[in-house]
């Protein structure tokens, strides 16, 4: 990703539904709420939207939808709408493609929507479906993320107590967030005593199954001040894809997700960031389970490999730490409607950079990082946003 | 789509598998064949590919795949790969997003692959699945395209004889094309006497169910001559989305696909084309059934609404006509592996513009148009390519 894209695109509006068991809202209801909230936030009339990108993972099971579902929900006709899918990194990759189109001059103002309705019917291919490409190997999402954690435990001699600290922190942050799926605090003892799902993960180590939608309005940076005084600039973008069957990869040391490192390096290069510590003020990372957050600290360069346990034990990733991670509550507490998650992370970072995050506000937030992971850790997308 | 994108991106390599009942080739085999053919055609080593886009419609039924399937098939790791889905316009929209990324300066050299394996198992959601969003209305692909044809017949007083001319023309062209699924000529009598599938469509009015993959390598236009002397420039791009349930749309006169008109206008505007007749030398259009080709002539501006029957009767769209349409044989004869089709159309136009189309060569081809339609006519993508 070339440096020539740096700061060419601005986020001028964000919107997000309450995440949770939204049985009273359809997929379309959530898309409407998030999209119109983002347009209102940007001060942009629907007519100004020249193109849109939809991030939705599972369209035909009824859990997500194709491009026409966005057109019909918000009556956005006669314009380009692309649906992007990239496993659980769907939302950020939709944002990335939209940002590149704006940077290319293909459109001045674009809408990005991420949406997924997971609660109405079973999700094909996530935790249950043996016909899914990598479920054929017997690996459900909890199963494969558990294997990776066990290997890390063996290598770095940590235990479930470290994972529990992630759950405690992210539930605390989520308890401060009115849009989070789960708003209850949990204790380390509760996390450790919860029923085991796939060792070392207990129930409270796993993100929930959630409905939700989020949206962002972006524009050419040069015109952002037409819309608002505090646009947020897209400073870095990185996406990297690795093998879809990492457990067969003899070159992988299996103590993290190499795709994250590649995506982060690309994003840092574009952003001109030499060392994220000191230059990144806060991050939203993909804590689909508790252990991944530990390795993300390392793979994103917040601390050396193997030092993630100390990073959280010392409180560095807490709301009051020097590099708060998942101030929103993360996937763990905010929830994880697949295609929505990446856009929801952008919603959180933009809200924080504007100083509008209320009781979960990170002080002095000027540059924030979004990290979205997909598949068996095979896909990672990193977005870096800065106050103008 | 801004004019600022015109001629900024070049196609420097194309590749395509034989389309057909490829029972001896897996999805991955086809991706490998098409992708490496395109790279060899461009004179580009795999290391030069900085990013990729995959167009595949139906990943989890085993008919198509996610971004990692491209990474694993051709060992393209550590780089961005986005999967795009946009109904049957998936392939062209993948190309469009790739072209915008190159125009933005996000990468210099990119790969686009479209692939689908339709013959190994039933295709969810196409012709059989009542749980599909618009199949819930009882409308299969043949059914809804037949309803549209019947309305057109009523309005413009044409009959099945006109449709047969499309089948005869496209089977003739396909008979000249070694990569086409069907290489046999058909007569008007054969077409008219074939078993009815959904009135007015008989078996020979319908495109087949086909396996195939196609690929293109694109780069910044400014560097295209590093790779070859005859790059083809991306002159126009247009995508438009309409309602996913057009039969409920009271503003639609139901004698064509309004999305095609919108996408074409956007592409002509970007390309600086005032009148396609005289400025477009040949076209590949989305003849999933015979009647759609008739309305595409009109919706693309090749002739006035209602004049499509005369356009083909006068031989204007024949290989020897003034605006040859589907010289490849079209979906009708070449086949329609969903995500592959749009990229295969680009393969055909590039081959024609280089003068390498052999017995099906259109003489004096300098500017060609690709038109890809998706869903119930709700999505249309138009790409205009020109000799440098």
């Amino acid at each position: 990703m070339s440096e020539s894209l740096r700061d060419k695109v601005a986020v001028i509006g964000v919107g997000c539904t309450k995440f949770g068991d939204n049985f009273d809202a359809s997929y379309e209801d959530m898309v409407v709420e998030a999209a119109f909230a983002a347009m209102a936030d940007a001060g942009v009339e629907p007519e100004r939207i020249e193109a849109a990108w939809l991030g939705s993972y599972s369209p035909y099971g009824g859990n997500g939808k194709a491009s026409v579902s966005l057109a019909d929900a918000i009556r956005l006709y006669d314009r380009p709408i692309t649906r992007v899918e990239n496993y659980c990194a769907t939302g950020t990759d939709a944002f990335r493609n939209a940002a590149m189109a704006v940077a290319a001059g293909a459109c001045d103002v674009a809408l990005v929507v991420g949406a997924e309705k997971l609660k109405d019917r079973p999700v094909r291919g996530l935790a249950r479906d043996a016909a899914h490409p990598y479920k054929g190997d017997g690996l459900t999402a909890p199963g494969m993320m558990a294997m990776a954690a066990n290997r890390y435990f063996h290598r770095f001699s940590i235990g479930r107590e470290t994972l529990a600290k992630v759950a405690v922190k992210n539930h605390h942050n989520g308890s401060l967030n009115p849009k989070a799926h789960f708003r209850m605090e949990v204790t380390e003892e509760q996390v450790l005593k919860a029923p085991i799902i796939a060792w070392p993960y207990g129930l409270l180590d796993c993100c929930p199954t959630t409905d939700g939608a989020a949206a962002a309005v972006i524009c050419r940076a040069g015109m952002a001040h037409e819309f608002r005084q505090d646009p947020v600039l897209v400073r870095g973008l990185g996406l990297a894809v690795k093998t879809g069957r990492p457990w067969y990869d003899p070159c992988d040391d299996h103590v993290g997700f190499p795709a994250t490192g590649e995506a982060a390096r690309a994003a840092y290069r574009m952003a001109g960031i030499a060392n994220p510590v000191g230059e990144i003020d806060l991050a939203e990372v993909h804590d689909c389970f508790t252990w991944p957050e530990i390795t993300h600290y390392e793979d994103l360069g917040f601390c050396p490999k193997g030092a993630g346990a100390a990073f959280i034990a010392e409180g560095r990733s807490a709301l009051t730490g020097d590099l708060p991670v998942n101030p929103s509550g993360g996937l763990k507490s905010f929830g994880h409607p697949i295609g929505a998650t990446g856009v929801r992370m952008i919603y959180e970072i933009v809200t924080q950079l504007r100083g509008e995050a209320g009781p979960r506000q990170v002080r002095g937030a000027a540059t924030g990082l979004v990290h979205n992971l997909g598949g068996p850790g095979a896909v990672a997308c990193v977005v870096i946003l800065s106050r103008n």
Side-chain angles (χ1 to χ4, degrees), chain A residues 244-279:
Chain A
R245 293 185 162 80
W247 41 89
Y248 296 136
D249 183 354
C251 303
D252 188 335
D253 59 7
H254 302 286
V255 289
F257 299 109
T260 294
E262 291 292 343
R265 278 187 287 278
Y268 294 150
R269 195 163 51 240
M270 172 173 156
I273 287 177
N275 183 355
V277 179
E279 298 188 70

Side-chain angles (χ1 to χ4, degrees), chain A residues 62 320-321 371:
Chain A
T320 51
H371 163 263

Side-chain angles (χ1 to χ4, degrees), chain A residues 61-153:
Chain A
N63 302 303
K65 298 286 174 61
S67 63
V68 295
S69 72
L70 177 58
D72 278 332
I74 66 171
R75 304 291 189 268
L76 184 78
Y77 296 126
D78 299 336
R79 277 160 278 194
I81 306 179
T82 295
R83 174 183 163 240
V84 164
E85 180 274 327
N86 220 334
Y87 285 133
C88 292
T90 290
T92 41
D93 198 14
F95 180 87
R96 175 180 157 270
N97 276 273
M100 292 191 293
V102 169
C107 48
D108 282 340
V109 181
L111 174 69
V112 185
V113 175
E116 212 93 32
K117 189 84 174 97
L118 297 182
K119 299 294 291 192
D120 287 0
R121 61 180 84 182
V123 186
R124 276 170 46 84
L126 280 185
R128 283 163 246 208
D129 184 353
H132 187 279
Y134 47 79
K135 303 308 179 302
D137 300 308
L139 291 169
T140 60
M144 66 191 169
M145 288 291 172
M147 270 197 352
N150 277 301
R151 171 68 170 231
Y152 185 98
F153 275 29

Side-chain angles (χ1 to χ4, degrees), chain A residues 284-350:
Chain A
E284 288 284 317
V285 310
H286 199 93
D287 60 325
C288 44
F289 298 90
T290 46
W291 171 73
E293 181 168 318
I294 301 291
T295 191
H296 298 334
Y297 298 155
E298 304 163 359
D299 298 335
L300 291 167
F302 298 172
C303 64
K305 183 50 74 182
F311 193 82
I312 188 161
E314 293 164 5
R316 296 186 60 192
S317 57
L319 261 190
T320 51
D322 67 305
L323 209 172
V325 174
N326 286 328
S328 68
L331 282 62
K332 180 69 207 75
S333 154
F334 204 101
H336 181 28
I338 309 174
T341 286
V343 186
R344 189 280 301 161
M345 292 168 157
I346 288 161
Y347 166 88
E348 175 69 14
I349 295 292
V350 168

Side-chain angles (χ1 to χ4, degrees), chain A residues 27 32 40 54 56 59 133 144 147 152 251 281 314 329 367 375 379 384:
Chain A
Y27 167 94
V32 165
L54 172 66
S56 196
M144 66 191 169
M147 270 197 352
Y152 185 98
C251 303
D281 300 312
E314 293 164 5
T367 296
V379 179
I384 298 171

